[in-house]
Amino acid sequence: MATGLADRPSALQEGVSGARIVAAAGSLAVTAAVLVVGKAAHPPAGATTLIVSLGLLHTPTQLVVAFAAVLLVTVVDLLFNRATGRPMPLWAAPKEG
Protein backbone atom coordinates (compact mmCIF):
# COMPACT_ATOMS: atom_id res chain seq x y z
CA MET A 1 0.00 0.00 0.00
CA ALA A 2 1.66 3.20 -1.15
CA THR A 3 1.28 6.31 0.98
CA GLY A 4 2.53 8.69 -1.64
CA LEU A 5 5.01 10.18 0.84
CA ALA A 6 8.01 8.84 -1.07
CA ASP A 7 6.84 10.77 -4.12
CA ARG A 8 6.68 14.09 -2.25
CA PRO A 9 9.87 16.07 -1.72
CA SER A 10 10.45 17.12 1.87
CA ALA A 11 10.60 20.79 2.85
CA LEU A 12 14.38 20.52 2.98
CA GLN A 13 14.54 19.06 -0.52
CA GLU A 14 12.24 21.79 -1.81
CA GLY A 15 14.37 24.45 -0.15
CA VAL A 16 13.43 26.65 2.72
CA SER A 17 12.10 29.94 1.44
CA GLY A 18 12.30 33.34 3.08
CA ALA A 19 8.60 33.12 3.88
CA ARG A 20 9.13 29.83 5.73
CA ILE A 21 11.99 31.37 7.72
CA VAL A 22 9.81 34.33 8.70
CA ALA A 23 6.97 31.93 9.61
CA ALA A 24 9.34 29.80 11.70
CA ALA A 25 10.78 32.82 13.54
CA GLY A 26 7.34 34.29 14.17
CA SER A 27 5.82 31.04 15.36
CA LEU A 28 8.78 30.37 17.68
CA ALA A 29 8.42 33.88 19.12
CA VAL A 30 4.71 33.31 19.79
CA THR A 31 5.40 29.88 21.31
CA ALA A 32 8.10 31.31 23.59
CA ALA A 33 5.84 34.17 24.66
CA VAL A 34 2.97 31.80 25.50
CA LEU A 35 5.33 29.60 27.53
CA VAL A 36 6.69 32.61 29.44
CA VAL A 37 3.23 34.08 30.12
CA GLY A 38 1.94 30.67 31.16
CA LYS A 39 5.02 30.07 33.30
CA ALA A 40 5.32 26.73 31.56
CA ALA A 41 8.39 24.76 30.64
CA HIS A 42 8.17 22.60 27.56
CA PRO A 43 11.30 22.61 25.36
CA PRO A 44 9.74 20.27 22.75
CA ALA A 45 7.16 22.98 22.05
CA GLY A 46 9.75 24.79 19.94
CA ALA A 47 10.49 21.66 17.92
CA THR A 48 6.80 21.01 17.33
CA THR A 49 6.36 24.62 16.24
CA LEU A 50 9.22 24.28 13.76
CA ILE A 51 7.89 21.02 12.34
CA VAL A 52 4.61 22.72 11.51
CA SER A 53 5.92 26.13 10.39
CA LEU A 54 8.62 24.66 8.13
CA GLY A 55 5.99 22.59 6.35
CA LEU A 56 7.32 19.16 7.28
CA LEU A 57 3.80 17.78 7.69
CA HIS A 58 2.22 17.11 4.32
CA THR A 59 -1.02 15.32 5.05
CA PRO A 60 -3.93 15.86 7.42
CA THR A 61 -3.14 12.46 8.97
CA GLN A 62 0.37 13.63 9.90
CA LEU A 63 -1.10 16.74 11.52
CA VAL A 64 -3.60 14.66 13.51
CA VAL A 65 -0.84 12.30 14.68
CA ALA A 66 1.33 15.25 15.78
CA PHE A 67 -1.63 16.82 17.63
CA ALA A 68 -2.46 13.49 19.31
CA ALA A 69 1.17 13.09 20.42
CA VAL A 70 1.23 16.58 21.96
CA LEU A 71 -2.11 15.91 23.67
CA LEU A 72 -0.88 12.56 25.03
CA VAL A 73 2.32 14.07 26.44
CA THR A 74 0.30 16.87 28.07
CA VAL A 75 -2.17 14.46 29.69
CA VAL A 76 0.57 12.14 30.95
CA ASP A 77 2.46 15.12 32.40
CA LEU A 78 -0.69 16.44 34.09
CA LEU A 79 -1.52 13.05 35.59
CA PHE A 80 2.06 12.52 36.79
CA ASN A 81 2.17 15.95 38.42
CA ARG A 82 -1.18 15.41 40.13
CA ALA A 83 -0.16 11.95 41.36
CA THR A 84 3.17 13.15 42.77
CA GLY A 85 2.01 16.58 43.96
CA ARG A 86 4.83 18.27 42.06
CA PRO A 87 4.23 21.78 40.75
CA MET A 88 5.26 22.51 37.22
CA PRO A 89 7.52 24.02 36.32
CA LEU A 90 9.71 22.91 39.19
CA TRP A 91 11.22 26.39 39.57
CA ALA A 92 7.84 28.09 39.94
CA ALA A 93 7.52 30.34 42.97
CA PRO A 94 5.45 28.82 45.76
CA LYS A 95 1.88 30.09 45.93
CA GLU A 96 1.18 32.41 48.83
CA GLY A 97 -1.76 31.90 51.15
Side-chain angles (χ1 to χ4, degrees):
M1 179 166 109
T3 62
L5 295 178
D7 299 331
R8 296 190 84 154
S10 73
L12 297 177
Q13 290 171 331
E14 292 172 0
V16 178
S17 65
R20 290 253 188 227
I21 292 171
V22 170
S27 60
L28 280 174
V30 170
T31 299
V34 169
L35 291 175
V36 168
V37 169
K39 296 180 182 170
H42 187 63
T48 305
T49 299
L50 282 176
I51 287 169
V52 174
S53 61
L54 290 175
L56 299 177
L57 302 177
H58 294 285
T59 66
T61 302
Q62 291 173 334
L63 187 59
V64 169
V65 168
F67 178 77
V70 168
L71 186 61
L72 178 64
V73 167
T74 303
V75 169
V76 168
D77 184 51
L78 177 67
L79 294 174
F80 176 78
N81 292 333
R82 293 249 172 132
T84 61
R86 300 173 81 183
M88 288 304 276
L90 294 175
W91 58 85
K95 293 183 180 178
E96 294 181 26

